[in-house]
Structures are given as C-alpha cells and as structure tokens.
Amino acid sequence: AAGVIQSPRHLIKEKRETATLKCYPIPRHDTVYWYQQGPGQDPQFLISFYEKMQSDKGSIPDRFSAQQFSDYHSELNMSSLELGDSALYFCASSRVGQVQYGYTFGSGTRLTVV
Amino acid sequence: AQKVTQAQTEISVVEKEDVTLDCVYETRDTTYYLFWYKQPPSGELVFLIRRNSFDEQNEISGRYSWNFQKSTSSFNFTITASQVVDSAVYFCALSSEKAGANNLFFGTGTRLTVIP
C-alpha cells in the first residue's frame, strides 16, 4: 500500500540558508500535517492543510511557510535557518472525517543546520 | 485544551519481563481519539493502535495490549514478554474531530530499553 512519501530523507544546510521539504500524502488523503521533532523531544505540530487551504497552525516560526498544491502534495519552506531548526520533520496525512482511522506518517526528513 | 502526559521518561526491563507504559490525557471534547506510536532508533513513527472515546473495550494484539479507562482518563499500553526489538520511544497521542483543528497532540514519550 502506498505510504506518505517525504523528500529528502536527509538534508544538511548552513545557517541562514533556505530549505524546502516535500511531502506526498497517501492517495485520496486530503489533509496534510507537518510536525517538528527536536532531539529527545516529542513531535510538535507546525501546520496543517485541508483541500489546499491552511486549516490549523501550531508553533511554526514566521521564517517557515508551507502550502499544499493541487495534487495535494505539500512543501515546507524554511528560510534564514538557525542551528535550533535542526530536527526531524514529519509529514502525516489523513482524510477529513476519518480521523478515527488515524494518521499515517512519512519516514521524516532529518534536517541538520551547521 | 488537549494534553497528554507520559510520566515515565525512561524504563528498562530485562527481556521476557512484562512492562506497562502509562498515558493520561486531558480533553474537553466528547469525541476524541487516542493513539500509540512507536519510534525505533531509525526514527520513523510506527502506528500501533487507535481508540475512539466511545469504545472502552480493551484490545490485545499479540504481545501488546491496551487498557482504556475513561474514568481515569488513561490509555495504558502493556507489552508482555518483552523483546529486545521492543526497545524504542513510545508516544501516546490524542486528537479530536474538530473542523480544521484535528491535529495530533503527543505526549513526551517513554523510552523503553529491553536488556537481553
């Protein structure tokens, strides 16, 4: 069965650079969520999209932006990277009205800022 | 507000011992969903189980079992006859069916180490 695809798996950037993370949800899933997990931390909700519109916003820095495209894939854009942005970034997808069936997570993108 | 508390930060057990991971949640919603995820050293989040607020039936899946008690707002997870491969961080999570706000809230996780 198709899963949530995230790319790249690993990314190394320097401070003040920009990074773009991509997420391809499970087919027919219309909602995408982004989470950030710092070292030794639990995943923190950043932002979500439903039908290409932002549906909820968590602790996402102003330096970050995201969008969902017509094919439902989503991109998380991160600018002016800081050392503290080093984390595992997860994308998850679900289908609205079917939260009871759970969220499927991608394998994550490990971002290292040096 | 949603909140998930996993009071046990780290647990170590010897292989074949049983272990229970605690999870206590807070929510004002009447319809909500509880989840457990496993995060092995490789980093991915592996879905284990989901429970909705209307179903308090306990569940068993092989060596795993879950005890959901609304009266104490708890959703505990027991691994029977633990194995080394069970070593991971386990997250309990909560979500509710609210329009535009149904993201998952995670607990801080419990790191389980199974010693051979």
Side-chain angles (χ1 to χ4, degrees):
Chain A
V4 176
I5 307 297
Q6 288 187 249
S7 67
R9 287 297 304 275
H10 301 273
L11 190 58
I12 299 175
K13 289 285 186 178
E14 294 188 356
K15 281 196 321 183
R16 292 181 287 278
E17 284 193 319
T18 62
T20 297
L21 309 185
K22 297 185 179 182
C23 169
Y24 296 86
I26 288 175
R28 292 187 297 280
H29 278 195
D30 47 26
T31 307
V32 169
Y33 311 82
W34 285 98
Y35 286 82
Q36 177 192 57
Q37 186 180 23
Q41 305 293 314
D42 56 292
Q44 294 291 314
F45 171 69
L46 292 178
I47 196 167
S48 62
F49 290 87
Y50 164 62
E51 284 292 343
K52 292 147 278 184
M53 300 286 288
Q54 180 183 307
S55 55
D56 198 9
K57 198 171 181 180
S59 50
I60 184 169
D62 292 340
R63 300 177 289 107
F64 295 5
S65 65
Q67 56 182 324
Q68 186 179 32
F69 295 86
S70 57
D71 63 352
Y72 294 100
H73 95 272
S74 178
E75 295 183 3
L76 178 65
N77 299 295
M78 310 158 71
S79 62
S80 302
L81 287 170
E82 302 173 356
L83 295 179
D85 296 329
S86 295
L88 195 52
Y89 290 83
F90 286 105
C91 172
S93 73
S94 70
R95 190 169 171 81
V96 73
Q98 295 186 0
V99 168
Q100 64 271 28
Y101 298 113
Y103 304 74
T104 304
F105 283 86
S107 299
T109 293
R110 188 172 297 279
L111 172 66
T112 303
V113 181
V114 297
Chain B
Q2 323 273 26
K3 187 178 178 183
V4 176
T5 301
Q6 294 180 255
Q8 305 149 307
T9 305
E10 295 191 31
I11 299 177
S12 292
V13 297
V14 177
E15 201 171 19
K16 296 183 185 174
E17 285 185 343
D18 300 346
V19 58
T20 295
L21 310 183
D22 298 333
C23 173
V24 174
Y25 63 92
E26 293 177 33
T27 180
R28 292 187 188 141
D29 298 322
T30 55
T31 301
Y32 54 90
Y33 306 92
L34 295 163
F35 303 82
W36 275 95
Y37 285 87
K38 173 182 179 180
Q39 188 172 42
S42 50
E44 71 271 25
L45 283 168
V46 179
F47 166 80
L48 296 178
I49 190 172
R50 63 181 163 264
R51 257 293 172 263
N52 72 53
S53 50
F54 298 116
D55 182 3
E56 285 194 73
Q57 202 170 28
N58 291 327
E59 182 160 337
I60 298 175
S61 176
R63 296 184 296 107
Y64 295 169
S65 62
W66 291 269
N67 183 357
F68 176 29
Q69 293 198 347
K70 285 180 77 170
S71 60
T72 55
S73 296
S74 65
F75 186 43
N76 297 337
F77 172 31
T78 297
I79 302 176
T80 304
S82 58
Q83 300 177 0
V84 173
V85 293
D86 296 328
S87 296
V89 179
Y90 290 85
F91 290 99
C92 180
L94 167 71
S95 178
S96 63
E97 190 75 66
K98 266 186 179 178
N102 55 0
N103 49 284
L104 274 174
F105 290 86
F106 285 86
T108 50
T110 297
R111 180 178 298 278
L112 173 66
T113 302
V114 181
I115 303 164

